[in-house]
Amino acid sequence: MKKVKPILILGIGNLLLKDEGVGVQIAQKMMKTRLPANVEVLDGGTASLDLISYLKGRKKVIVIDCVRGGDKPGTIYRLTPEDIEKDENKILSLHQVDFQQTLHLWAELSKKIPKVVVIGIEPKNYSSWGMELSSLVKKRVPKIIELVKKEIWKK
């Protein structure tokens, strides 16, 4: 059985809905980069409860996703599950409910959840078909990758 790496970078989103796929696209890019040996990158797609098995044994999970927070498109957010729960009416990851449910279920099952950080970006276009990110979001991808890499080293 493969040993679980303590840090998981998890890209979630739907590649077929333009900016909604930003988390998956970034995860795919990060799979091709050099990362510390204690880091695993996963394309979580639109899975929700299926992700539970990937949380086991982790110390930290860094989620990358499209987030509707009400700011202008291209705004980058750093959120914790507590931030999302506290301000449910304002902050909405398109997968927020499913991923929040996954974390709650995992907490019930294991009584121990990893530290979770969400790095999200306000989308420009997330409701029409297409696999291309908007130019605005695409331009912000290197900054998001930089922030994710910094998160790896934070305690």
Side-chain angles (χ1 to χ4, degrees):
M1 191 166 147
K2 186 171 109 173
K3 185 177 178 190
V4 173
K5 296 182 179 185
I7 299 174
L8 174 66
I9 297 171
L10 175 63
I12 54 178
N14 187 335
L15 282 173
L16 301 176
L17 293 174
K18 299 199 175 195
D19 291 346
E20 218 290 295
V22 69
V24 172
Q25 287 197 27
I26 291 174
Q28 290 172 351
K29 282 182 187 293
M30 293 192 78
M31 287 176 190
K32 298 173 187 170
T33 64
R34 178 177 267 202
L35 295 168
N38 65 338
V39 177
E40 179 180 356
V41 182
L42 177 69
D43 168 352
T46 57
S48 55
L49 294 178
D50 296 339
L51 298 173
I52 282 183
S53 63
Y54 293 99
L55 300 178
K56 185 177 182 180
R58 307 294 180 169
K59 290 189 182 339
K60 186 174 198 177
V61 177
I62 304 165
V63 179
I64 310 165
D65 197 6
C66 171
V67 174
R68 290 188 344 218
D71 289 322
K72 65 182 182 176
T75 300
I76 297 173
Y77 304 97
R78 181 193 185 277
L79 305 164
T80 63
E82 295 80 22
D83 294 328
I84 295 169
E85 286 178 0
K86 172 174 59 178
D87 205 356
E88 283 180 352
N89 294 326
K90 183 173 187 246
I91 298 168
L92 178 63
S93 158
L94 298 180
H95 305 283
Q96 168 190 323
V97 175
D98 289 339
F99 192 70
Q100 285 293 100
Q101 289 172 340
T102 300
L103 287 176
H104 288 295
L105 182 57
W106 179 248
E108 290 297 316
L109 293 172
S110 74
K111 304 298 181 212
K112 183 179 180 188
I113 63 170
K115 179 178 181 178
V116 176
V117 175
V118 177
I119 303 295
I121 184 165
E122 187 79 38
K124 181 172 178 147
N125 186 339
Y126 59 90
S127 59
S128 60
W129 295 102
M131 295 182 71
E132 275 293 310
L133 298 176
S134 65
S135 60
L136 178 65
V137 169
K138 190 175 190 174
K139 192 184 320 181
R140 304 290 282 154
V141 166
K143 178 66 176 173
I144 296 169
I145 291 173
E146 177 186 325
L147 292 171
V148 169
K149 286 181 176 180
K150 284 182 182 177
E151 272 310 319
I152 290 169
W153 302 106
K154 285 185 184 178
K155 296 279 180 195

